[in-house]
């Protein structure tokens, strides 16, 4: 995590686009950063301003605001949008990785996996706001990746 001395906005102002990639980011709850930043990065956190998540897979910035940016190396977990490796989590609460979803799609059990995750969510077992770097439900990523993998299997 570093101070962004070149920011065009003053601290306290809500910056909506990543200062590195220009990608529009979505606001992330502060609890997400507190849960996922490394101890060193957490010690430098200035929590007064809203942080946003940069979804650009080519950018190593994960969180940003007018005064700070947090990069992939500042997190304790790998970030689905930033890392294409098979072992990267897609569902952070229940531990399903890209490889797990690929195997489920290949075996025709992708729908069962999705149904299982939905049941856990409905039972109140997910903790996406503290487990998922996006700070919100992982299910959208799971569904999108399963659909992509299904299309690839059918091609």
């Amino acid at each position: 995590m570093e101070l962004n001395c070149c920011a065009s906005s003053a601290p306290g102002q809500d910056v909506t686009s990543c200062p590195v990639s220009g990608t529009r980011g979505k606001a992330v709850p502060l609890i997400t950063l507190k849960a996922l930043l490394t101890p060193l990065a957490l010690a430098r956190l200035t929590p007064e301003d809203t942080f946003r998540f940069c979804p650009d897979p080519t950018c190593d910035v994960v969180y940003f605001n007018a005064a700070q940016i947090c990069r992939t190396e500042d997190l304790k977990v790998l970030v689905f949008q930033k890392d294409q490796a098979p072992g990267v989590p897609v569902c952070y609460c229940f531990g399903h990785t890209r490889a797990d979803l690929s195997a489920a799609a290949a075996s025709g059990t992708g729908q069962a996996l999705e149904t299982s995750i939905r049941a856990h969510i409905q039972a109140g077992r997910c903790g996406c706001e503290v487990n998922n770097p996006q700070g919100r439900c992982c299910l959208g990523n799971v569904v999108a990746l399963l659909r992509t993998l299904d299309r690839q299997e059918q091609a």
Side-chain angles (χ1 to χ4, degrees):
M1 184 163 65
E2 60 192 57
L3 293 178
N4 184 5
C5 63
C6 301
S8 59
S9 301
Q13 194 171 8
D14 189 17
V15 174
T16 59
S17 296
C18 175
V20 174
S21 71
T23 304
R24 186 168 177 79
K26 291 196 176 186
V28 178
L30 185 58
I31 189 69
T32 306
L33 281 81
K34 289 179 177 180
L36 298 179
L37 290 176
T38 63
L40 187 59
L42 185 59
R44 294 188 305 250
L45 180 69
T46 54
E48 295 81 24
D49 296 330
T50 299
F51 278 86
R52 293 185 174 270
F53 176 83
C54 174
D56 186 336
T58 65
C59 181
D60 74 340
V61 172
V62 180
Y63 304 119
F64 63 90
N65 66 20
Q68 290 182 289
I69 59 174
C70 304
R71 298 182 182 275
T72 54
E73 66 265 13
D74 295 318
L75 274 73
K76 296 185 262 187
V77 297
L78 299 173
V79 180
F80 169 71
Q81 291 80 359
K82 309 286 183 177
D83 191 330
Q84 299 298 311
V88 172
V90 181
C91 175
Y92 287 83
C93 296
F94 306 109
H96 300 293
T97 65
R98 283 182 194 282
D100 296 334
L101 271 65
S102 292
S107 68
T109 61
Q111 184 61 47
L113 181 69
E114 180 183 332
T115 300
S116 170
I117 294 169
R118 286 183 188 279
H120 285 305
I121 292 169
Q122 187 152 3
R125 295 183 189 112
C126 74
C128 294
E129 66 280 358
V130 294
N131 295 317
N132 180 1
Q134 287 178 282
R136 60 184 173 281
C137 189
C138 308
L139 187 59
N141 295 333
V142 170
V143 170
L145 183 56
L146 284 172
R147 300 303 173 264
T148 298
L149 293 167
D150 284 344
R151 282 193 301 275
Q152 290 173 354
E153 288 288 321
Q154 294 172 1

